[in-house]
Amino acid sequence: MLPSAASAQAGPDPARLKANVEKLVSFGTRHTLSDPNNPKRGIGAARRWFGDEMKRTGRSCGNCLQVTTIERVFTNERVPKGGNVVDVLAIQPGSEPNRVVIIQGHIDSRVTDVMNTTSDAPGANDDASGVSVVLEAARLLAGKKFKATIVYAALSGEEQGLLGAQLLADTVKQRGWTISAVLNNDIVGNTMGQNGQRVADRVRVFSEGIRAIEDQPGQLNRRAIGGEDDGPSRALAKAVDKVAGAIPGGIDVMVVRRPDRFGRGGDHEPFLKLGYPAVRFSVGIENYTQQHQDLRTDGGIEYGDTVDKMDFPYLAKVAAINVATLSRLAAAPAAPATVSLNGALSADTTGSWAAVPGASGYRVRWRRNDKQDWTDQRDLPAAATEVLLKDVIVDDNFIGVSALSADGAESLVTFGERAPRRR
């Protein structure tokens, strides 16, 4: 009997992760346009199984998860006749119900021909691995109390153009949710690369610098203040890195300073385009013969995304980083909306921000502007909404502010910008 949420281990279980991946693979294909009504094969059966697993987890903690679906018909060159894209969500309400952190993976799979809806497409690593991480996170966190609401999401339509992610991002905007973080897990379960190199000591976390949502004046302002490495998505990646560094026996986070792999994309991008902080987790090294491939052996090479090519102890370590990051950000208050700085022509810098509801204090962080990570900090009480940093010259330092909970959980750091000029 696999453990329930109430009896969960302290950390993610490799055996549980493997069982989840094997079950998803057992549906044959999970192509977005495969038969949605077949009880045993296709994406409909896979989605129903995911929903049932979340309901089972929810029952173990007094129905603490609200399992639901959202859907929309999309048409594009990969869905020329239109297709109904369905996402399955399990919602764990927090004490601030409209503030949300999301963990997600895409449940659909494909073979070489993206239009092939019938051939076996196991999609073990791409992306049953990510969906398994979502299930394991729910198992470990369901029943716990957090400030923010946690949304556990299995997205469809990734292989048809990030459609399920677009659906969820649009839904977030329509419902007026405030998003503190989106953790997208896609291809997170292998350690052997196509070149035969094994990389089991790190996971890549991709994040944008210049924000997709910024217009040209906004980009010019970010250039002027030197904030290219400190937007919300990059702040999230840095927070993930810090969380990972505190996990005993864990793996390193490689903070990749681009939105995704070179020339490629993922389900975090629709959230970035709407201004939400989002990152992508992906393995330290990829094997492209195991992605989007018909199952075959050609020239002595086995092609196909199958379970036997995965590393489940490694996947458990990736899951542990996700769980720890979710726990921190869901327990913390929201990040300050803005931080305004003054200090031109001065040896000192002043910073100010609006009070964050529910914050028990604030942490002012700064670093020399030739550094990437924060080096200095000062904690302030809940009543504080400004700070004077003596002998911290704004020309030479970057400054940011985070909000703290009573038990010390820290929000993302909001990067300090120029205070508006008074007319």
Side-chain angles (χ1 to χ4, degrees):
M1 176 70 69
L2 292 170
S4 67
S7 62
Q9 299 178 14
D13 178 7
R16 180 72 182 225
L17 290 160
K18 182 179 182 181
N20 290 336
V21 171
E22 289 176 334
K23 182 63 178 180
L24 286 163
V25 168
S26 76
F27 294 108
T29 179
R30 304 188 306 279
H31 192 285
T32 298
L33 302 182
S34 59
D35 185 352
N37 299 314
N38 189 305
K40 295 183 179 180
R41 182 179 176 87
I43 194 164
R47 287 192 301 241
R48 287 188 290 274
W49 173 79
F50 177 88
D52 288 344
E53 285 296 293
M54 284 298 186
K55 290 174 183 176
R56 187 173 70 84
T57 297
R59 286 194 296 271
S60 72
C61 54
N63 296 319
C64 65
L65 299 180
Q66 302 167 1
V67 181
T68 187
T69 59
I70 55 176
E71 58 187 274
R72 185 196 305 168
V73 174
F74 287 86
T75 304
N76 64 18
E77 62 181 8
R78 292 189 174 187
V79 195
K81 297 181 180 180
N84 195 39
V85 172
V86 181
D87 295 339
V88 186
L89 312 179
I91 301 171
Q92 181 175 339
S95 60
E96 300 173 14
N98 285 331
R99 186 167 66 84
V100 173
V101 293
I102 297 173
I103 180 171
Q104 63 185 31
H106 72 85
I107 200 167
D108 59 304
S109 64
R110 59 167 284 194
V111 290
T112 305
D113 179 3
V114 71
M115 307 304 290
N116 182 341
T117 66
T118 58
S119 293
D120 281 351
N125 199 23
D126 184 15
D127 183 36
S129 66
V131 175
S132 186
V133 167
V134 174
L135 287 161
E136 190 70 345
R139 184 179 71 85
L140 292 166
L141 297 179
K144 296 185 178 181
K145 302 299 183 183
F146 295 102
K147 288 180 176 292
T149 292
I150 301 177
V151 174
Y152 308 93
L155 309 180
S156 301
E158 193 269 355
E159 304 292 5
Q160 285 66 45
L162 315 181
L163 302 182
Q166 188 64 61
L167 171 59
L168 181 54
D170 290 344
T171 300
V172 164
K173 184 176 180 180
Q174 292 163 4
R175 294 184 181 182
W177 289 349
T178 299
I179 300 297
S180 287
V182 178
L183 306 181
N184 182 45
N185 287 268
D186 194 353
I187 309 178
V188 288
N190 74 282
T191 53
M192 187 64 69
Q194 185 167 334
N195 61 359
Q197 180 184 1
R198 185 169 187 261
V199 176
D201 62 349
R202 66 176 180 264
V203 62
R204 295 175 295 169
V205 175
F206 294 85
S207 61
E208 69 175 8
I210 295 295
R211 300 180 67 187
I213 196 175
E214 287 180 334
D215 57 13
Q216 187 175 30
Q219 292 180 8
L220 291 173
N221 179 64
R222 189 162 297 279
R223 174 179 179 272
I225 63 174
E228 296 91 339
D229 198 47
D230 288 275
S233 175
R234 189 62 48 76
L236 175 55
K238 291 179 179 182
V240 173
D241 187 25
K242 184 176 181 181
V243 166
I247 298 175
I251 56 176
D252 181 48
V253 164
M254 179 180 176
V255 177
V256 184
R257 285 166 165 79
R258 59 167 53 114
D260 208 314
R261 292 123 344 127
F262 196 76
R264 301 167 75 186
D267 276 335
H268 56 306
E269 293 188 14
F271 296 90
L272 295 175
K273 291 177 181 177
L274 291 177
Y276 304 126
V279 297
R280 176 196 178 123
F281 286 76
S282 205
V283 292
I285 192 166
E286 294 183 61
N287 190 330
Y288 310 108
T289 65
Q290 296 160 19
Q291 299 174 17
H292 303 168
Q293 295 289 338
D294 292 334
L295 295 172
R296 69 194 190 280
T297 299
D298 188 357
I301 298 174
E302 292 185 2
Y303 290 84
D305 188 358
T306 51
V307 177
D308 60 296
K309 299 182 178 73
M310 294 180 64
D311 183 333
F312 291 98
Y314 171 83
L315 181 59
K317 293 180 179 181
V318 176
I321 297 172
N322 276 265
V323 170
T325 303
L326 284 173
S327 296
R328 169 185 154 176
L329 296 179
T338 59
V339 174
S340 298
L341 302 178
N342 280 298
L345 306 178
S346 172
D348 307 324
T349 300
T350 59
S352 62
W353 56 93
V356 175
S360 297
Y362 300 94
R363 180 163 291 155
V364 181
R365 292 185 174 273
W366 67 96
R367 67 182 193 267
R368 256 176 37 172
N369 56 23
D370 61 348
K371 307 292 184 183
Q372 290 183 336
D373 298 318
W374 303 112
T375 57
D376 298 275
Q377 67 184 55
R378 180 186 301 172
D379 287 356
L380 299 174
T385 55
E386 61 182 16
V387 67
L388 170 63
L389 298 176
K390 295 288 294 181
D391 299 320
V392 176
I393 299 173
V394 74
D395 290 340
D396 301 336
N397 292 273
F398 293 140
I399 299 160
V401 179
S402 58
L404 303 174
S405 68
D407 59 2
E410 183 180 4
S411 74
L412 297 183
V413 178
T414 301
F415 189 68
E417 305 193 13
R418 292 179 295 181
R421 294 179 180 177
R422 295 180 179 178
R423 294 182 179 271

